[in-house]
Amino acid sequence: MSVLASLARRYTALSGREIEHLHHLVADWQLIADLNFADLLLFGSLRDREAYVILAQVRPYPAQTLYQEDMVGRVVDATDRERVRSALDEQRIVREGDPEWREGTPIREEAIPVRFESKIIAVVSAEQNLATARTPSQLELSYLQAAGDLEQMTAEGVFPFPSSDEREISPRVGDGFMRLDANGVIVYASPNAVSAYRRLGVSANIVGEHLGKLDLDEEVTLDSLRRGRPVEDEIDASGAWVYRRFLPIIHVGEVTGAIGILRDITELRHRDRMLQVKDATIREIHHRVKNNLQTVASLLRLQGRRLSSTEAKAALEESVRRISSIALVHETLSRDSHERVDFDHVAKRLVEMVQEGFAGPDRPIRFRIDGRSGDLPSEIATPLALVLAELIQNTVEHAFGGETRTVTATVEMARRADEVRLKISDDGVGLPAGFALERDANLGLQIVRTLVESELSGTIALTGDGRGTRAEVVIPVVRAKPEATV
């Protein structure tokens, strides 16, 4: 639950839909703060007394803030916020009155009622530091006019628009600002907005031009604005990318113009393309490594067919399985550009591979996989895949003894914040009497112990009795980097 929703439910009588509308407003009100050079505070009425709780706060990027401290969650008496109370009672924007002095600083405050479905549900207080005020430029006058329009739309319940959600790119007013009249003619464009269109190949002065005559195929944009719908798009022309966001200005149900925020994202999109090329290259490398490992495994199989020694054939079969385990990790990485592996998928494939290669009528075994280990970094997943494959094969080879009954083996996986646990257990004949991992381990278990303790900085425990064998491995997920040596 968000802070706004938590405070609203604790202090106010706002409904769920009303709180959702305030969430949409807060997602988009940075634009009003920047255009107005003002701090914004969102006030909600307490349900049990005449006071207000501050539900949200935003500071302006292009101006000095009045509030260094966080105001969210503070409860203030209604008598200390006369304009907020007037906006609620009179259901209108309250701007009149002399500036308020706070600690020697003159403050201009506007109280904007927030309307939702014909009801005032909250008030936004826009507070500007007049001590830093000067004669406004044409750019600043355009900003303030646009801020006034959006404030009036908020009071009428038109702003924010339903589509106002968190977006990948959020342009700021300083990136580029323009204003259109009701006919789609550009009546003002900031220097950064003019530069953005120049990057797109528009060499003419755009001020005074109709948006549809800039040779950028604007029919859809203009149609949406005429219908009172916001537009977000990216224009790609002349090797440049510009992100644009247009908001229609609506008063009393009539579209009277629009404002546009532009951002040159050429460098961002170039970096995106470079990352895509890099990701594709990494995936191709993993794909080729996987293919090369499979080729090596195939050559070893061919070599094994020419051998007459049973011991040599077994050694080659084990080598093939180990190489195939590593190839399986690279196969997974080749499908995803992130250097992380879905180890649950790897574990399932490893169990299938070992069961197909070693289980048979003389060694009937049934495997089961429980739990999840999630995604793991490739530097952990690769050695851990070898560990799991060795332990599964060890189960197949040593769980039967002289019996031929079906053995059930379980691979249990568990993931915690800082570690992953693997437990391989079976109901076979168990370990020999007096077995010690440090002393009696075969080659496979020696490999497991070396990988777990030296490569993965983990621990392994092997226990067993007449009811079966259990191997438990604990691996830290966040591994400390080795200290640099001089």
Side-chain angles (χ1 to χ4, degrees), residues 208-274:
E209 288 287 341
H210 192 276
L211 187 66
K213 296 182 179 180
L214 298 181
D215 297 327
L216 294 175
D217 192 20
E218 300 286 15
E219 288 79 8
V220 174
T221 299
L222 289 169
D223 182 64
S224 295
L225 293 177
R226 282 192 291 266
R227 295 171 182 266
R229 298 172 183 171
V231 178
E232 295 184 40
D233 61 13
E234 289 185 20
I235 300 293
D236 175 11
S238 302
W241 283 265
V242 172
Y243 172 83
R244 306 184 310 172
R245 185 177 182 218
F246 289 101
L247 299 177
I249 301 300
I250 305 172
H251 288 317
V252 198
E254 181 180 352
V255 177
T256 61
I259 60 173
I261 310 296
L262 295 84
R263 178 181 174 185
D264 186 344
I265 58 171
T266 303
E267 295 303 320
L268 179 63
R269 288 296 173 250
H270 277 310
R271 287 198 297 268
D272 287 345
R273 286 194 171 184
M274 291 174 64

